[in-house]
Amino acid sequence: MAAMRISVDARKQDFEPALNWLAARVGGGVKQRIGNYEKHTKNDPMLAAHFRHTYALEYALFDACRYRRTTGRVPKGSAYDALYTFAVPAMRIHQQLPVEGRRPFEGKLQDFVSGTYGARPFAYEIGIATHLMHKGWDVEFVDLCGLAQFDF
């Protein structure tokens, strides 16, 4: 596996491809997950704040997809910053991974749908890797390629 360094610059025109990429992989499952949470909040409204906080990326993806579906535009604003901060570099990393690393990467994306802690652990990992790349380091995702048992 070769070391990787992606562009960490993101512009508004990068949001739509990243949103489309992420939604194609986990959008349906996130819609179902959020729907289940919404059912629980009808019985216990105190849970709404907990779910929105714990699964913030999932809600942002759900809300962004709904907004795009109803308006035809990609939403902008601070409510979506964390989503785009994850989605843009995640898409770029996925595109540069060797074929054997893509399936495990997509497996980690499934935490959006079924992970106990949601997308937060994987988003944190992507955030650290992106930060290192921004500082000029090359990063190898050795865990995804089966070369070691640590992340990168």
Side-chain angles (χ1 to χ4, degrees):
M1 151 119 219
M4 171 189 313
R5 190 177 318 163
I6 62 164
S7 168
V8 295
D9 295 329
R11 294 174 185 82
K12 289 181 181 178
Q13 64 264 24
D14 298 322
F15 297 169
E16 186 169 11
L19 180 61
N20 291 340
W21 173 84
L22 186 58
R25 282 155 182 78
V26 297
V30 166
K31 182 178 178 182
Q32 183 177 7
R33 183 174 209 172
I34 298 301
N36 289 336
Y37 293 152
E38 295 298 311
K39 288 177 191 172
H40 289 300
T41 61
K42 288 181 184 186
N43 297 331
D44 188 353
M46 301 274 297
L47 284 174
H50 166 72
F51 288 144
R52 280 251 175 213
H53 173 75
T54 304
Y55 304 103
L57 281 176
E58 291 85 343
Y59 271 95
L61 177 60
F62 175 78
D63 293 342
C65 289
R66 183 175 51 197
Y67 181 88
R68 187 185 58 205
R69 200 171 35 255
T70 58
T71 67
R73 297 185 317 269
V74 175
K76 299 172 186 155
S78 62
Y80 303 99
D81 287 350
L83 175 63
Y84 298 134
T85 298
F86 169 77
V88 171
M91 179 185 72
R92 291 174 180 167
I93 290 167
H94 181 265
Q95 290 169 340
Q96 287 195 23
L97 282 171
V99 174
E100 66 271 9
R102 289 183 183 174
R103 182 162 292 180
F105 187 97
E106 290 171 3
K108 287 187 173 206
L109 282 176
Q110 290 307 305
D111 284 344
F112 267 90
V113 176
S114 59
T116 302
Y117 302 105
R120 280 190 302 169
F122 190 47
Y124 181 73
E125 183 179 337
I126 295 299
I128 294 296
T130 303
H131 175 75
L132 292 170
M133 290 179 203
H134 177 71
K135 293 295 184 182
W137 293 87
D138 293 332
V139 175
E140 292 182 56
F141 290 85
V142 294
D143 64 329
L144 297 175
C145 296
L147 301 174
Q149 293 185 348
F150 50 87
D151 292 340
F152 40 81

